[in-house]
């Protein structure tokens, strides 16, 4: 059966802002309190989706979550007689909670879930586990709502199994597909699943970062693999290099990207270094094409600044591989040179690089690959999805007009408690659920 890889990109929500919420994410910390541009952010995201769709690469969308999340503020004890009172009280008494409940962070759908295609699972179903994102408050509150979104789109239990986010607190810290890579000969042949973790609660002897937190545990990765019924011999666990985490590599997809049989990685990505890649290559039953980037060619600081490794690698309909890179990696001399060399080299199948301006997302530490969740499905499964989520020309036009009609040009922190922003966002999201034919998805709609 033929399988296709669909990129589900997150639509940037109307409250996109810079609140400096992610310790360990250098861009987020540096952008704190800057003026954000939600309309531009959403349009930049849509442009990337449209370009891929125009090249014949299956593209879909995931809706943003309800933000400002009044229901979460109330759950955190910030009550009030009406929603405007809740916002005012949050701004006065708990501004950090307000920021967490207004983040548009669900746009980075690489963190929405880990997905395993049905050709890799023992029950022949496509499995999804929404990431609990328990390392960061503003992200942890995404999990239950993301679960609802995925359970709506992938509701057909003949084909799909959508698990709840992992329970278990600190031991089960899970950041989704940002730390997971499926390597395969082609989309429908059985893959090898590489799970990358930063820490283990059962093995405290592992080297640990000293400056920034490790967000993913090995125990969470193993649990996802078990739940998804991936045979043990098709899973491989690799520890992130703590020195890379301390340099700002908060997810593995900031330092390595795999696609089909290609693995583009920095030599300092993993604790074991090249031995990890050797293990991965041995686990694969197809030849792996490692593209190793040395510290001499691209220092870690340039990797983090440019987000070179947060590029998407995509297969064009003619079989050629294109790198979808952030504009910052064209502007950084070392990464630009590396990409040019990679395209010119004959020992890898990458033949092209395209740069995209995703600066609004990038300033919060989210590049091209952060913005997409890869979902590999066969034709029957694609037909079984609910909602109008595949990006066609018509849907693109509607979404573009919707953004232009509802989104603000700029947002600063003081705007987050503005009741008008709340009503604007709800009006926008209400209309979006109609455009995407997803029913009443949001707490305010129920
Ligand atoms: O979790 N930034 C996100 C970026 C996620 C990137 N995703 C991947 N690498 N897959 C994070 O750190 C910043 C929000 C703020 O500071 O306002 C933020 O959440």
């Amino acid at each position: 059966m033929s399988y296709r890889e669909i990129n589900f990109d997150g639509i940037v929500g109307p409250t996109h802002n810079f609140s400096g919420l992610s310790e360990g994410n250098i861009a987020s910390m540096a952008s704190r309190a800057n003026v954000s541009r939600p309309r531009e952010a959403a349009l930049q995201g849509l442009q990337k989706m449209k370009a891929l769709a125009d090249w014949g690469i299956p593209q879909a969308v995931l809706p943003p979550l309800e933000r400002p999340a009044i229901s979460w503020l109330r759950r955190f004890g910030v009550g009030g007689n009406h929603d405007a009172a809740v916002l005012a009280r949050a701004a006065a008494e708990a501004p950090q909670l307000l920021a967490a409940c207004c983040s548009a962070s669900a746009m980075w759908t690489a963190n929405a879930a880990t997905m395993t295609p049905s050709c890799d699972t023992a029950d022949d179903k496509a499995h999804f586990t929404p990431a609990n994102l328990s390392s960061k408050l503003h992200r942890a509150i995404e999990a239950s709502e993301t679960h609802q979104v995925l359970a709506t789109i992938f509701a057909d239990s003949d084909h799909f199994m959508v698990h709840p986010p992992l329970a278990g607190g600190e031991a089960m810290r899970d950041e989704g597909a940002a730390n997971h890579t499926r390597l395969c000969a082609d989309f429908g042949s059985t893959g090898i699943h590489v799970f990358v973790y930063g820490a283990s609660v059962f093995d405290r002897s592992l080297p640990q970062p000293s400056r920034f937190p490790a967000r993913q545990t090995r125990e969470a990765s193993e649990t996802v693999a078990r739940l998804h019924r991936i045979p043990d011999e098709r899973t491989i666990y690799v520890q992130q290099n703590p020195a890379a985490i301390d340099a700002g590599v908060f997810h593995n997809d900031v330092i390595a990207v795999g696609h089909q049989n290609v693995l583009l990685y920095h030599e300092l990505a993993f604790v074991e270094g090249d031995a990890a890649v050797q293990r991965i290559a041995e686990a694969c039953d197809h030849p792996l094409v490692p593209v190793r980037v040395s510290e001499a060619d691209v220092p870690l600081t340039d990797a983090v600044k440019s987000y070179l490794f947060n590029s998407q690698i995509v297969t064009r309909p003619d079989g050629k591989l294109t790198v979808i890179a952030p504009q910052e990696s064209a502007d950084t001399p070392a990464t630009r040179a590396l990409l040019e060399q990679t395209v010119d080299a004959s020992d890898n199948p990458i033949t092209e690089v395209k740069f995209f301006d995703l600066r609004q997302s990038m300033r919060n530490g989210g590049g091209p690959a952060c913005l997409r969740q890869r979902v590999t499905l066969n034709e029957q499964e694609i037909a079984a999805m609910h909602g109008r989520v595949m990006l066609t020309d018509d849907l693109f036009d509607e979404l573009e007009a919707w953004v232009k009609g509802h989104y603000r040009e700029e947002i600063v922190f003081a705007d987050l408690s503005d009741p008008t922003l709340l009503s604007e966002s709800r009006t926008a999201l209400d209309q979006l659920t109609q455009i995407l034919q997803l029913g009443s998805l949001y707490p305010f709609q129920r």
Side-chain angles (χ1 to χ4, degrees):
M1 188 143 359
S2 84
Y3 281 70
R4 309 188 80 190
E5 181 184 84
I6 308 169
N7 287 297
F8 275 76
D9 277 49
I11 299 173
V12 177
T15 60
H16 161 65
N17 73 95
F18 298 120
S19 285
L21 297 173
S22 279
E23 190 209 356
N25 169 343
I26 287 168
S28 153
M29 295 191 296
S31 299
R32 186 169 194 281
N34 286 353
V35 179
S36 68
R37 302 185 63 78
R39 177 187 301 207
E40 194 173 295
L43 294 175
Q44 287 172 350
L46 283 174
Q47 288 304 334
K48 172 170 85 86
M49 301 184 216
K50 177 76 163 79
L52 269 69
D54 285 348
W55 294 330
I57 297 162
Q59 178 68 52
V61 299
L62 286 176
L65 302 179
E66 182 188 333
R67 301 288 179 267
I70 299 292
S71 55
W72 277 108
L73 285 169
R74 289 187 187 276
R75 282 172 76 174
F76 293 133
V78 186
N81 290 340
H82 47 83
D83 292 344
V86 172
L87 286 172
R89 186 174 163 202
E93 293 176 20
Q96 285 160 313
L97 265 188
L98 176 65
C101 293
C102 289
S103 177
S105 53
M107 71 173 84
W108 300 297
T109 54
N111 305 117
T114 306
M115 186 275 154
T116 309
S118 58
C119 52
D120 289 356
T121 63
D123 60 0
D124 301 326
K125 286 188 183 174
H127 286 246
F128 299 79
T129 296
N132 60 30
L133 297 170
S134 58
S135 292
K136 303 274 178 245
L137 175 64
H138 69 292
R139 305 232 53 190
I141 62 174
E142 294 172 33
S144 55
E145 292 157 59
T146 299
H147 182 211
Q148 165 111 28
V149 171
L150 296 176
T152 302
I153 298 172
F154 303 104
D156 187 335
S157 57
D158 286 345
H159 296 286
F160 308 120
M161 180 74 209
V162 182
H163 302 270
L166 301 187
E170 198 220 346
M172 292 291 166
R173 300 194 304 271
D174 179 21
E175 300 278 321
N179 293 320
H180 167 259
T181 307
R182 175 177 189 255
L183 297 165
C184 55
D186 53 63
F187 296 127
S189 54
T190 26
I192 285 292
H193 294 265
V194 183
F195 289 91
V196 181
Y197 59 92
S200 164
V201 284
F202 293 157
D203 182 359
R204 299 280 184 187
S205 70
L206 297 182
Q208 280 301 290
S210 54
R211 187 171 169 225
F212 292 139
R215 291 205 204 177
Q216 177 92 28
T217 65
R218 179 177 172 122
E219 292 73 16
S221 299
E222 288 170 343
T223 303
V224 169
R226 272 192 302 271
L227 288 168
H228 290 201
R229 305 191 58 183
I230 309 171
D232 283 350
E233 66 278 12
R234 311 208 71 88
T235 61
I236 184 153
Y237 299 91
V238 177
Q239 193 192 345
Q240 260 188 301
N241 181 356
I245 296 177
D246 280 339
V249 180
F250 56 98
H251 288 139
N252 179 61
D253 68 4
V254 177
I255 198 74
V257 53
H259 176 79
Q260 293 192 321
N261 64 340
V262 176
L263 181 64
L264 173 69
Y265 73 102
H266 192 278
E267 66 166 327
L268 298 179
F270 311 120
V271 167
E272 297 163 82
D274 292 328
V277 179
Q278 188 58 38
R279 275 204 295 131
I280 295 168
E282 283 162 13
C284 292
D285 47 19
H286 58 272
L288 182 74
V289 181
V291 182
R292 176 183 187 273
V293 178
S294 68
E295 173 72 5
D297 284 343
V298 177
L300 266 184
T301 45
D302 277 353
V304 172
K305 184 176 80 174
S306 69
Y307 260 44
L308 163 73
F309 295 93
N310 202 260
S311 296
Q312 288 173 253
I313 305 177
V314 294
T315 305
R316 299 274 202 124
D318 64 5
K320 290 188 176 148
L321 298 198
T322 298
V323 173
I324 308 296
Q327 182 57 38
E328 287 78 352
S329 63
D331 301 339
T332 305
T335 52
R336 182 175 199 114
L338 190 284
L339 282 165
E340 282 165 3
Q341 282 163 28
T342 305
V343 166
D344 290 346
S346 55
D347 60 355
N348 76 71
I350 295 168
T351 55
E352 186 181 40
V353 54
K354 296 277 186 193
F355 296 104
F356 281 81
D357 178 359
L358 296 162
R359 286 192 177 91
Q360 283 296 312
S361 169
M362 284 286 288
R363 286 179 192 150
N364 256 337
C370 298
L371 286 161
R372 62 93 174 96
Q373 170 75 217
R374 288 181 283 195
V375 176
T376 299
L377 301 176
N378 63 36
E379 279 140 33
Q380 286 170 358
E381 292 161 348
I382 292 173
M385 290 193 303
H386 287 177
R388 181 179 170 229
V389 292
M390 293 301 300
L391 193 76
T392 58
D393 286 348
D394 284 349
L395 181 57
F396 172 80
D397 290 344
E398 283 175 55
L399 290 175
E400 188 180 49
W402 170 79
V403 168
K404 288 181 176 166
H406 293 283
Y407 280 49
R408 292 192 180 187
E409 292 288 352
E410 293 186 349
I411 286 187
V412 293
F413 183 75
D415 296 324
L416 299 180
S417 55
D418 174 3
T420 317
L421 178 67
L422 175 67
S423 60
E424 285 167 16
S425 301
R426 286 182 173 172
T427 304
L429 296 180
D430 195 42
Q431 201 176 326
L432 182 66
T433 51
Q434 292 168 40
I435 295 173
L436 300 181
Q437 297 167 12
L438 287 173
S440 295
L441 202 56
Y442 295 113
F444 77 89
Q445 294 175 311
R446 283 180 231 131

